[in-house]
């Protein structure tokens, strides 16, 4: 079980940016900001994964994973 805490913040945001983001998500201010912050967190993960490109060797037999027999 994960217990989430929250913080109340005051921020000056461009009104048009906030309205556009809320229209895209179809959610309220808090939910829209939370979704945006989660996207920032994911972006860091993707950037770190991209830096590994070409550095990790995987030997995977796709046919075996798919349960197919070789002819």
């Amino acid at each position: 079980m994960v217990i989430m805490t929250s913080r109340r913040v005051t921020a000056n945001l461009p009104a048009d940016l906030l309205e556009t983001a809320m229209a895209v998500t179809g959610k309220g201010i808090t939910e829209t900001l939370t979704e945006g912050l989660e996207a920032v967190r994911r972006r860091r993960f993707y950037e770190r994964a991209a830096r590994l490109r070409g550095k990790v060797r995987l030997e995977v037999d796709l046919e075996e994973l798919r349960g197919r027999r070789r002819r």
Side-chain angles (χ1 to χ4, degrees):
M1 176 185 219
V2 177
I3 299 174
M4 296 182 58
T5 61
S6 62
R7 286 180 53 183
R8 180 174 291 272
V9 298
T10 301
N12 296 313
L13 305 170
D16 60 334
L17 180 61
L18 181 57
E19 293 298 325
T20 302
M22 289 171 55
V24 169
T25 64
K27 299 175 183 174
I29 294 172
T30 300
E31 296 85 0
T32 299
L33 293 177
T34 300
E35 192 170 318
L37 292 171
E38 288 172 349
V40 170
R41 181 170 48 186
R42 281 191 305 272
R43 184 178 69 202
R44 174 175 276 185
F45 170 78
Y46 294 138
E47 289 170 351
R48 288 175 59 195
R51 284 195 299 267
L52 293 174
R53 185 178 185 145
K55 296 179 183 176
V56 177
R57 293 273 182 218
L58 298 177
E59 296 198 18
V60 178
D61 184 342
L62 291 177
E63 297 301 319
E64 182 179 334
L65 287 174
R66 292 177 179 150
R68 298 179 184 162
R69 293 185 180 179
R70 292 183 183 236
R71 294 181 186 189

